[in-house]
Amino acid sequence: MKPEPPLGGQANNVVAATPEAVSRAAQLLREGQVIGLPTETVYGLAGDGLNPAALARIFEIKQRPLFDPLILHFAGADSAFRLAARVPDIARELARRFWPGPLTLVLPKEDAVPDLATSGLPLVALRVPVHPVAQAVLRAFSGPLAAPSANRFGRISPTDASAVSEELGEAVPLILDGGPCLVGVESTVLDLSGEKPVLLRAGGVTLEQLEAFLGPIERARAVDDRPLAPGQLRHHYAPRKPLRLVRAAEEIPPRANVGWLVFGAPPAEFAGVMKNLSPEGNLVEAAANFFRFLRALDDDPRVTELYATPLPLCGLGLAINERLERAATSSAGGPPASAARQE
């Protein structure tokens, strides 16, 4: 299977995140351009969150549908909440506990937020990342940044700078290299616009962490259009090769062309290509490796079909499983078998 070429061709646009590079990034952002930016979750395609032209460039580069809203990133909670029309006490308490970090809060928006950032919705998604490079750029730029994952829409999210360059090429003038992402899956998205919190997307802050603080939380289902938050669409995170989810490892065919995304103790022998998310069964390690290993199998010329089994439905396993199901639904392999689903 021949991979799609990167947008504009791969370019030598990856630079170490030195103070000079951060200053250059801030200048490009002020000019309305976009950059590749590391966060603790995944690498983002960052642009001025209040500049409709920069937002339009993000949608253009990603080939992202205009109905899929963006998350705005801030250096601190005070600046984030200034763009919310109403901030309930629970939002401030969550911010004190989980910001900076991989949690996005959805609140009613102020008029200053461009409709393009929210896809015309009256709600805005707000996050304060903890990654030092993201923080340095946000402080140097002195404004909010929209920063969806730095890949084509619906594709595997990038967790290192080289993956951004391979995917987007010369379409991005600068990609700051901040090393591999430590969390490795996108932020948790929590809707606080209604009477009760609703989990729109599982992510880097676990459901257990939130429910220990808030009590039981309703989970929204995946949708086919008009999502309230990024990553809520049913078709997302797609590899180019067919990905199938199976209930047990015994269902994975032992063929040389099979790529297997493994979790836990691997078998003694396997004819295909394995990438083990965590031999010790550590969900934090598995999340950090997830997108990188899925991309590696997808790019491996020896592999023509991919397999995975769901992970434990606890901690970051919930976020990984959510992405596995959407990746399988989106890939050439079609939706996962019902037997593989763990709702």
Side-chain angles (χ1 to χ4, degrees):
M1 183 174 296
K2 185 178 179 181
E4 299 175 45
L7 290 172
Q10 186 170 357
N12 186 23
N13 50 4
V14 176
V15 301
T18 63
E20 293 76 17
V22 168
S23 295
R24 182 185 170 205
Q27 181 58 39
L28 289 170
L29 291 165
R30 284 190 284 270
E31 294 170 0
Q33 299 197 54
V34 297
I35 66 165
L37 179 71
T39 78
E40 69 275 19
T41 57
V42 300
Y43 272 68
L45 182 63
D48 184 345
L50 300 182
N51 181 345
L55 297 174
R57 182 63 177 150
I58 290 174
F59 279 98
E60 178 187 23
I61 291 174
K62 281 184 61 68
Q63 302 171 3
R64 182 186 183 102
L66 294 177
F67 61 71
D68 196 15
L70 304 172
I71 294 173
L72 297 186
H73 296 67
F74 301 81
D78 290 343
S79 55
F81 288 146
R82 279 198 287 270
L83 289 183
R86 178 176 57 81
V87 183
D89 290 341
I90 191 62
R92 298 189 187 279
E93 293 173 15
L94 285 165
R96 282 191 289 270
R97 180 164 298 218
F98 295 107
W99 279 357
L103 176 66
T104 294
L105 301 179
V106 175
L107 294 167
K109 80 177 187 74
E110 281 284 4
D111 291 340
V113 179
D115 286 340
L116 192 54
T118 67
S119 297
L121 295 170
L123 308 174
V124 62
L126 311 170
R127 183 164 102 82
V128 178
V130 72
H131 196 289
V133 176
Q135 278 287 327
V137 173
L138 283 161
R139 290 193 297 269
F141 177 63
S142 299
L145 294 176
S149 57
N151 56 284
R152 283 189 180 92
F153 176 74
R155 284 274 295 132
I156 301 170
S157 299
T159 54
D160 58 54
S162 63
V164 180
S165 185
E166 290 166 6
E167 178 99 1
L168 301 182
E170 295 175 346
V172 183
L174 179 68
I175 300 169
L176 294 176
D177 190 348
C181 300
L182 295 180
V183 175
V185 293
E186 294 87 351
S187 63
T188 301
V189 180
L190 190 66
D191 183 2
L192 298 178
S193 63
E195 293 183 3
K196 296 181 179 180
V198 177
L199 184 71
L200 300 182
R201 179 178 75 185
V205 173
T206 68
L207 181 61
E208 290 90 341
Q209 288 175 296
L210 291 174
E211 289 191 330
F213 186 57
L214 298 173
I217 298 174
E218 178 184 347
R219 290 177 59 192
R221 291 189 174 274
V223 298
D224 292 313
D225 58 16
R226 300 301 295 172
L228 295 177
Q232 200 182 1
L233 290 170
R234 196 181 316 277
H235 299 273
H236 216 66
Y237 313 114
R240 297 183 182 93
K241 297 167 183 173
L243 169 65
R244 295 176 177 86
L245 299 188
V246 295
R247 184 190 298 274
E250 291 73 23
E251 300 175 47
I252 298 173
R255 297 194 296 262
N257 67 326
V258 167
W260 181 7
L261 199 62
V262 183
F263 176 73
E269 295 182 2
F270 181 65
V273 180
M274 290 191 300
K275 286 288 184 181
N276 198 324
L277 296 173
S278 174
E280 303 298 323
N282 184 305
L283 290 171
V284 174
E285 181 183 21
N289 288 330
F290 175 65
F291 282 128
R292 181 162 57 92
F293 285 3
L294 181 59
R295 183 182 293 273
L297 289 174
D298 198 31
D299 291 342
D300 193 318
R302 298 170 294 175
V303 173
T304 61
E305 54 188 273
L306 309 174
Y307 285 83
T309 53
L311 278 66
L313 272 177
C314 59
L316 289 170
L318 179 65
I320 298 170
N321 283 345
E322 187 176 276
R323 285 153 180 79
L324 272 175
E325 287 213 1
R326 293 179 189 179
T329 300
S330 306
S331 77
S338 59
R341 301 178 71 91
Q342 296 188 22
E343 294 289 349

